[in-house]
Amino acid sequence: MSDTIALVRLCLIRSRLGLISGVAMLVVLQICLWSGYVVGVEGASYFQACVGMMMFPLVMLGILLFDCGSADLSAGRSGYSVWLLRSPIATWKLALVPIAMKLLWMIAIWFISMGTLGFVCGMPLPSPMPAITISAVTAWICFYAWRPFRGHWLRLFGAIALMIVSYLAVVFSLATEFSGEDIKRYRSLILAAHYTLPVIVLAAGTWAALAAVRLARTNHDGLIGETASASPLEWTAETGRRGVAKWVGSLSSSIGSSESLEQGSRFALLPMELRRSGGRILNATLIGWLPMIVIGTLLIPFHVSTVVMLLIVSAVIAATCNVGAAFNEENGQQTISSWIAASPIKSSTMAWSRITLQALVSMIAILAALLTVAGWSLWPSNRATWDVFARQVNTVYETQWAAPGVAATIMLLSSIFLIGCGVRLAWVAMSGSSWLGIAAGIVLGIFFLSAIGAVTRFFLTQKDWEGARENALYLASFLPMIGFAWLILKSLATITSITLLISKRLETMSVIGMLLIGWATLVLALGSLIHWICPAEFVTWSRSLIVVAILLPLPSILIAPVSLAWNRHR
């Protein structure tokens, strides 16, 4: 076997989970497009919304796929795998093979998605230049990820500048591709730049990535000077190990009580995991949320479909933080380190600390989306769109506070749903099973995209607010029956989770009871708030409680210690 084929197979094996997830996304997108075509959905808005919602996670996945390492913006060392850098494989192969595979992925998803969209909407097949533009951006991302730097700030500022230029380049490429026929001034110059610059930038990025790999082979840990000092953001596993050991040792020697020891570990474990995940959260903030706020405020108009897309994009960025990997081993599929597994900390404390951090990251994602929505109010066209919507809603409910109430209800329910999605998947990551993660991701993705597609199609097919209100009332009549059936299934899952917790002696009944009381109190508070702010007649107090009880996760929180304990002792 040649080293090129071996390197390709290694990239595929390292990215098999993401690759399977990406293929599943493409399949779901095809199902949504062809089902709308068969049903006979009129207009292109539904199909364009489906492609728009799916292309961003597919592109983000393509940037991460087929990579040979992991970069950290808080460190100066190279992100390329040190094991591959020490191998006898030629330097140009180490650089070109991952970039070529990323390029093929971008072109494949572009032609598959846009080809199907063009067929169902009667549109011509676009050129691959936007895909090549994104591939050029990916090549430069590889350069910043693989090149060792003297200090982490050089990588950080360079990555920020690269993201700004990349967003502008992608926007220019898409705008030129889909509005090229409408360009009047400087048409020849713009089209020439559109068809030549991406190729030139891709070639330059590939050459820069090749130079970065060549430099990393002899300077993997960074360009360290004689007077170099440690970065305050470089938190290592040894730092977390010493922090937990200090808490456990001091508490056990001074107090000796198991209850006090467990209480102290709760306060030690969460800050330690937050420090361990600080680099990933910083990456998501600087590369994802901040550009999303700026680009979304400046370029994206206010619309129901754009709000839905904004929430999805923010949630996808939160998922890239991978806060559940704070205890991960660097090698293998074990998702909990041996020094944590051997500590006297209970599995429930470890699991619920991860879930707490996941919920905090999801809240940051929701806050970023809300800031983007607030930024939309700076433009007169967006304010005009909101005024039209507000007048229609206020006329129906005969109060000036109806429109803010409806908008706040939609955002609150969406926030609860997205935060719950992040928490629901936490127990899957704690199990350490890759196939369980694939199955759960596919099922949740199909359910999530189907729900979002149904809601988006409902709003896009309404002619006026009065008709939308009547249709919503008709659909709401089925909500109690569906809600009660869902609550019965959720209750059975909760009882099963509690039984496993107690039978495996992972937690006491008193702690479980406190958790159930806290969950019920939160359901009561949020349900009452939604009933109070929403002016719709069909949003009764009981229906509000049912919806919140369905959206707020409970069985996944209770089963998380069982999943982590299985991973811990297997």
Side-chain angles (χ1 to χ4, degrees):
M1 180 188 299
S2 65
D3 50 2
T4 303
I5 297 177
L7 188 58
V8 170
R9 293 183 60 183
L10 178 63
C11 292
L12 291 174
I13 293 173
R14 287 174 61 95
S15 306
R16 62 185 182 277
L17 298 182
L19 189 60
I20 294 175
S21 302
V23 173
M25 291 182 191
L26 279 176
V27 172
V28 172
L29 175 60
Q30 295 297 313
I31 293 174
C32 294
L33 293 177
W34 286 108
S35 61
Y37 177 74
V38 172
V39 172
V41 177
E42 297 181 358
S45 299
Y46 167 75
F47 303 104
Q48 292 173 353
C50 291
V51 174
M53 286 188 294
M54 290 298 298
M55 282 301 293
F56 182 82
L58 285 172
V59 169
M60 292 295 295
L61 196 61
I63 295 175
L64 301 175
L65 284 177
F66 315 121
D67 209 343
C68 298
S70 59
D72 187 1
L73 290 179
S74 62
R77 61 181 177 270
S78 171
Y80 209 97
S81 172
V82 62
W83 176 75
L84 285 175
L85 292 175
R86 294 173 179 174
S87 65
I89 303 176
T91 302
W92 67 271
K93 293 181 180 180
L94 294 177
L96 294 185
V97 168
I99 294 178
M101 296 179 70
K102 292 174 184 289
L103 174 62
L104 292 176
W105 170 264
M106 296 297 182
I107 293 177
I109 63 173
W110 175 261
F111 277 120
I112 292 174
S113 303
M114 302 308 298
T116 308
L117 178 64
F119 179 82
V120 297
C121 297
M123 299 167 53
L125 184 65
S127 69
M129 299 316 298
I132 296 177
T133 302
I134 299 174
S135 300
V137 171
T138 304
W140 282 100
I141 291 176
C142 292
F143 162 73
Y144 274 98
W146 295 345
R147 189 188 190 280
F149 287 89
R150 187 175 298 276
H152 68 283
W153 292 113
L154 294 175
R155 186 195 302 273
L156 184 60
F157 290 137
I160 295 175
L162 174 63
M163 289 302 105
I164 295 175
V165 175
S166 300
Y167 277 109
L168 295 177
V170 172
V171 169
F172 170 78
S173 179
L174 292 174
T176 306
E177 182 65 35
F178 292 104
S179 60
E181 299 297 333
D182 301 329
I183 299 174
K184 303 301 181 182
R185 299 184 60 184
Y186 309 109
R187 174 181 172 83
S188 300
L189 180 61
I190 292 176
L191 292 180
H194 174 61
Y195 286 105
T196 58
L197 283 181
V199 179
I200 296 174
V201 174
L202 176 60
T206 304
W207 177 84
L210 175 61
V213 174
R214 184 180 294 112
L215 182 62
R217 300 197 84 153
T218 55
N219 302 273
H220 180 269
D221 291 334
L223 305 179
I224 304 172
E226 294 182 359
T227 59
S229 58
S231 167
L233 296 178
E234 291 178 352
W235 298 300
T236 61
E238 187 64 28
T239 304
R241 185 184 295 112
R242 288 197 301 266
V244 173
K246 181 179 178 181
W247 274 89
V248 173
S250 61
L251 287 171
S252 60
S253 60
S254 60
I255 301 175
S257 171
S258 60
E259 291 80 3
S260 300
L261 177 63
E262 180 61 28
Q263 183 179 6
S265 64
R266 292 171 187 167
F267 291 101
L269 204 55
L270 185 58
M272 186 275 295
E273 187 168 359
L274 182 60
R275 289 195 300 269
R276 291 289 308 281
S277 303
R280 288 185 292 272
I281 297 175
L282 178 64
N283 295 351
T285 302
L286 296 177
I287 299 177
W289 287 317
L290 286 181
M292 183 192 75
I293 294 173
V294 175
I295 300 300
T297 302
L298 297 178
L299 299 178
I300 300 178
F302 172 74
H303 192 266
V304 175
S305 59
T306 57
V307 174
V308 174
M309 189 181 303
L310 179 69
L311 292 172
I312 294 175
V313 169
S314 188
V316 170
I317 296 173
T320 61
C321 294
N322 195 19
V323 294
F327 297 148
N328 285 8
E329 293 282 6
E330 295 184 358
N331 298 316
Q333 297 181 357
Q334 188 73 6
T335 56
I336 180 170
S337 300
S338 57
W339 60 276
I340 286 288
S343 67
I345 303 175
K346 293 198 300 185
S347 298
S348 59
T349 301
M350 298 180 189
W352 290 337
S353 296
R354 289 187 176 189
I355 288 178
T356 302
L357 185 58
Q358 179 65 56
L360 292 176
V361 173
S362 300
M363 291 179 184
I364 296 175
I366 299 301
L367 178 61
L370 293 177
L371 290 176
T372 308
V373 174
W376 281 337
S377 62
L378 299 175
W379 303 102
S381 59
N382 292 332
R383 291 198 298 269
T385 303
W386 167 258
D387 290 338
V388 173
F389 169 76
R391 282 196 299 269
Q392 292 178 349
V393 177
N394 295 338
T395 302
V396 172
Y397 295 106
E398 299 179 353
T399 174
Q400 61 178 351
W401 300 106
V406 171
T409 301
I410 295 174
M411 294 301 296
L412 182 58
L413 289 176
S414 302
S415 302
I416 296 173
F417 176 73
L418 293 177
I419 294 173
C421 287
V423 172
R424 286 185 183 92
L425 286 178
W427 71 273
V428 179
M430 296 177 196
S431 67
S433 174
S434 58
W435 291 109
L436 181 61
I438 294 173
I442 293 175
V443 172
L444 183 61
I446 293 175
F447 175 79
F448 179 75
L449 291 174
S450 300
I452 293 298
V455 173
T456 304
R457 180 185 177 188
F458 172 79
F459 281 104
L460 292 177
T461 54
Q462 302 307 309
K463 303 300 182 181
D464 51 28
W465 178 253
E466 187 64 29
R469 181 171 174 269
E470 293 178 358
N471 293 332
L473 287 172
Y474 174 74
L475 294 176
S477 62
F478 297 96
L479 182 61
M481 179 178 61
I482 299 175
F484 282 124
W486 191 275
L487 286 178
I488 291 174
L489 296 176
K490 192 168 187 176
S491 301
L492 293 176
T494 301
I495 294 173
T496 304
S497 302
I498 294 175
T499 303
L500 291 174
L501 273 176
I502 297 176
S503 63
K504 295 181 179 297
R505 300 179 181 179
L506 296 176
E507 198 51 84
T508 60
M509 193 61 202
S510 60
V511 175
I512 296 176
M514 292 175 59
L515 182 62
L516 294 176
I517 293 174
W519 181 85
T521 303
L522 189 59
V523 169
L524 183 62
L526 293 176
S528 301
L529 178 62
I530 291 173
H531 174 64
W532 179 59
I533 64 176
C534 186
E537 299 175 358
F538 60 88
V539 182
T540 61
W541 186 65
S542 59
R543 289 177 176 176
S544 301
L545 293 180
I546 291 174
V547 171
V548 175
I550 291 174
L551 295 180
L552 274 182
L554 181 60
S556 56
I557 297 176
L558 293 173
I559 202 64
V562 179
S563 177
L564 191 140
W566 176 74
N567 185 20
R568 185 181 188 182
H569 300 293
R570 63 182 175 136

